[in-house]
Amino acid sequence: KYKMARMRPLPILIATGSGYLGYDQYGRYKDRELQKLGIEVPPRVANELQVTIYKSIPTRLLSRAWGRLNQVDLPTWLRKPIYSLYIWTFGVNMKEAAVEDLQHYRNLGEFFRRKLKPQARPVCDSHCVISPADGKILHFGRVKNCEVEQVKGVTYSLETFLGPYTWTESLDDPSSFQDLLVTKEGNELFHCVVYLAPGDYHCFHSPTDWRVAHRRHFPGSLMSVNPGVARWIKELFCHNERVVLSGEWTHGFFSLTAVGATNVGSIRIYFDKELRTNNPRYNKGSYNDLSYVSNNNREGVTMRKGEHLGEFNLG
Amino acid sequence: STIVLLFEAPRDFKFSLTAGQKIHFGEPLGTM
């Protein structure tokens, strides 16, 4: 007993940690070998314990601290080196920025919110739906059985992601949540996930001509949403802070959801002055609704394709 | 950060995308 008490916890931790890592790496090696043989291997998603441990990291606190830090105005002489390091690290293309002079940006938060030259992103006229932002296409396709794929093979529940269907009256008695959303005969439900990397332009625009009728804000975690984590944490987008805008376009139901992440904890919607994201206090699993349809505005907020819609902010 | 679009469209809607590709704001996502 005495010997056990004398043992230092550190070597035990190192031993168990490296044992676990070795086991995990061996499993990944086996998956790679199987893939080389052309055998489709389902992605290794995190188990309950790993998700709980990951969610216990105070990402909201870190995010707000990161945001505070990036609101501190930099001395003029420090701006160029700091922003040049950020540009080099994340591959930012300053030629497209509306203001190329780095001294113009007082702090990294302002630099992160930089706008682009209008001619830098021509809006495609010949297609009815466009990309709302710069980024990487993580996944896209038809929604099946109320499950949406965040990346290939890793799904999340449509109803958990959007929340209960209360933003408009439903006349008929649908067989599933997905059928609730599809309002026209012969239509299907489609989805597209765009991941914005740290160096990307972080404003987003209206992807089509539509009327935004409702906003639902889900406070939540701010786990990283980079593709590697999206492959590892199932239901990742249902854990994270997000703002769901829903309404109608020419073919029926349309929604755009902005999902926050650790370094980009705040979401702004330009026409929604009441929206406050990344607040210190929130009740787990809660959400708050706002309808843009009122007695004197039966239409909601009309958005034209390509119109400025909102932005992600640091912290 | 991430943006998720969820919308209904006629069955013959086709995405003109490849998973993993870079895309810019304003570029088309698909066609009817």
Side-chain angles (χ1 to χ4, degrees), chain A residues 30-199:
Chain A
K30 273 198 316 183
D31 288 352
R32 279 195 298 275
E33 290 309 301
L34 287 174
Q35 275 166 349
K36 277 180 201 161
L37 298 173
I39 300 169
E40 177 120 359
V41 178
R44 287 175 162 262
V45 289
N47 59 39
E48 199 88 9
L49 174 64
Q50 289 168 318
V51 176
T52 309
I53 292 170
Y54 189 11
K55 282 185 77 175
S56 66
I57 299 171
T59 50
R60 297 167 63 83
L61 190 67
L62 292 173
S63 174
R64 280 196 301 280
W66 174 240
R68 289 265 186 292
L69 177 68
N70 290 306
Q71 278 165 358
V72 175
D73 289 359
L74 296 173
T76 315
W77 59 273
L78 198 50
R79 293 178 186 176
K80 198 167 168 66
I82 293 274
Y83 301 149
S84 302
L85 178 65
Y86 188 94
I87 288 166
W88 176 77
T89 309
F90 296 112
V92 177
N93 178 356
M94 278 309 283
K95 288 198 177 15
E96 299 172 332
V99 179
E100 294 184 43
D101 173 19
L102 297 182
Q103 312 282 3
H104 165 83
Y105 302 98
R106 290 171 299 173
N107 51 55
L108 191 59
E110 252 185 30
F111 178 77
F112 192 78
R113 287 192 299 274
R114 68 192 177 282
K115 299 293 183 270
L116 297 183
K117 292 185 175 79
Q119 67 275 20
R121 294 288 182 275
V123 173
C124 173
D125 279 334
S126 54
H127 291 73
C128 57
V129 62
I130 57 168
S131 175
D134 284 10
K136 177 192 269 193
I137 299 291
L138 269 199
H139 206 65
F140 60 91
R142 195 170 286 183
V143 177
K144 296 176 191 114
N145 316 318
C146 293
E147 288 282 313
V148 194
E149 286 191 302
Q150 55 200 48
V151 292
K152 185 158 181 52
V154 185
T155 62
Y156 57 96
S157 146
L158 184 64
E159 188 161 7
T160 312
F161 182 67
L162 294 180
Y165 188 87
T166 53
W167 54 79
T168 180
E169 293 79 46
S170 157
L171 306 177
D172 47 1
D173 178 23
S175 58
S176 75
F177 182 78
Q178 183 168 335
D179 294 345
L180 263 176
L181 300 178
V182 178
T183 58
K184 295 181 178 166
E185 196 58 40
N187 276 2
E188 296 271 357
L189 201 59
F190 296 89
H191 76 104
C192 181
V193 182
V194 183
Y195 165 70
L196 290 78

Side-chain angles (χ1 to χ4, degrees), chain A residues 6-36:
Chain A
R6 293 264 312 140
M7 284 180 78
R8 293 271 180 278
L10 190 60
I12 298 173
L13 270 177
I14 291 172
T16 41
S18 43
Y20 172 75
L21 281 177
Y23 164 73
D24 188 57
Q25 285 310 312
Y26 174 65
R28 290 175 194 279
Y29 163 74
K30 273 198 316 183
D31 288 352
R32 279 195 298 275
E33 290 309 301
L34 287 174
Q35 275 166 349
K36 277 180 201 161

